[in-house]
Amino acid sequence: MIKVLSLGGSIVAPETPDVHFLPTFVKMIREWLKADENRKLILVIGGGGPARIYQKAYRDILATVEGAVADAEADWIGITATRLNAQLVKALFADLCPQDVVYDPTKAEDFAGRILVAAGWKPGFSTDADAVFLAKKFNAKTVINLSNIEKVYTDDPKTNPDAKPLDSISWADFRKMVGDTWSPGKNTPFDPIASREAQQAGITVICAGGRNIENTKAILDDKPFKGTKIG
């Protein structure tokens, strides 16, 4: 049984690596795997604070020297940040994850360990998309997307006080909300390209707050949880 967990960079490294959250997360995952020897887990790691900080520096510096910002270059900066965060997570699970961090989800092979860790791939794709590609490759029907957002809302609650949290939403309605294009650093509960791929593949996505360890365990155990199911 393989499950795919997309761990947002805002959880792993909101600014720098979160040395308070990560030990609790690692302990829970180890206990979950130990409870059933048939369980395996794919962890896809986002860029978080390092991606945001370096992308902002890139844009600010070019604005000072009147250079043109290239989305592909900004994307590569973000991708590199995901790879640094993923290498840290792989190291924390070194005994359970003997393979290198996966950069290209289309070339990932079956893994002998209990955990496979993946990072960003190439410009035009976020780690959300990488998680969906890996779910398709390993026949996982659900991607668990953990971030700093506990639920999907009908609109951005930061700008619209009337926005309502959702327990579930169809792919058709969700894609109307997020659109069809991806740009580096775009802030949506699940990115547009990944959403299209998930809808076409019949994959369900669960969006939930990543810092609630017990809630994450409930999702992994197929128990009632706090979050939004997209599908």
Side-chain angles (χ1 to χ4, degrees):
M1 175 179 61
I2 297 176
K3 297 205 173 187
V4 179
L5 197 160
S6 180
L7 192 59
S10 60
I11 303 301
V12 175
E15 295 295 329
T16 58
D18 192 329
V19 296
H20 301 291
F21 164 77
L22 286 170
T24 308
F25 174 78
V26 170
K27 181 180 178 182
M28 184 273 289
I29 293 298
R30 286 181 174 276
E31 290 175 350
W32 185 79
L33 290 171
K34 187 177 181 180
D36 186 338
E37 63 179 13
N38 293 315
R39 291 174 174 173
K40 288 190 174 187
L41 194 62
I42 297 172
L43 299 175
V44 186
I45 313 300
R52 184 180 67 255
I53 291 166
Y54 275 78
Q55 286 173 334
K56 183 178 184 301
Y58 166 64
R59 294 186 175 99
D60 289 350
I61 292 166
L62 282 187
T64 301
V65 299
E66 298 182 355
V69 172
D71 277 353
E73 296 297 342
D75 240 347
W76 274 121
I77 293 170
I79 288 166
T80 303
T82 72
R83 294 178 177 182
L84 177 61
N85 289 341
Q87 199 66 46
L88 170 61
V89 173
K90 181 204 177 316
L92 295 174
F93 290 109
D95 56 318
L96 301 175
C97 180
Q99 289 167 269
D100 292 338
V101 173
V102 172
Y103 293 164
D104 183 345
T106 67
K107 294 181 179 178
E109 298 179 357
D110 197 12
F111 51 103
R114 304 291 300 281
I115 290 177
L116 189 68
V117 176
W121 180 19
K122 63 180 181 179
F125 297 88
S126 75
T127 48
D128 290 346
D130 299 335
V132 172
F133 285 126
L134 287 165
K136 289 167 62 177
K137 191 170 188 69
F138 290 99
N139 298 314
K141 298 302 181 185
T142 301
V143 170
I144 303 165
N145 187 58
L146 301 180
S147 68
N148 55 3
I149 299 171
E150 290 191 341
K151 286 192 176 187
V152 174
Y153 280 72
T154 53
D155 197 1
D156 187 346
K158 294 180 181 177
T159 58
N160 181 0
D162 295 324
K164 300 291 191 297
L166 299 168
D167 291 329
S168 63
I169 185 173
S170 69
W171 275 122
D173 289 340
F174 181 78
R175 291 186 61 198
K176 288 177 184 176
M177 291 170 52
V178 301
D180 294 317
T181 58
W182 160 255
S183 59
K186 185 168 184 174
N187 188 20
T188 61
F190 205 68
D191 99 60
I193 304 302
S195 298
R196 182 193 67 205
E197 294 291 332
Q199 182 183 26
Q200 291 175 351
I203 291 172
T204 296
V205 169
I206 294 172
C207 293
R211 295 194 176 278
N212 187 335
I213 294 293
E214 288 303 314
N215 193 57
T216 299
K217 187 174 185 301
I219 298 171
L220 289 169
D221 288 335
D222 299 317
K223 294 181 178 179
F225 63 88
K226 182 178 182 180
T228 303
K229 182 179 288 187
I230 312 171

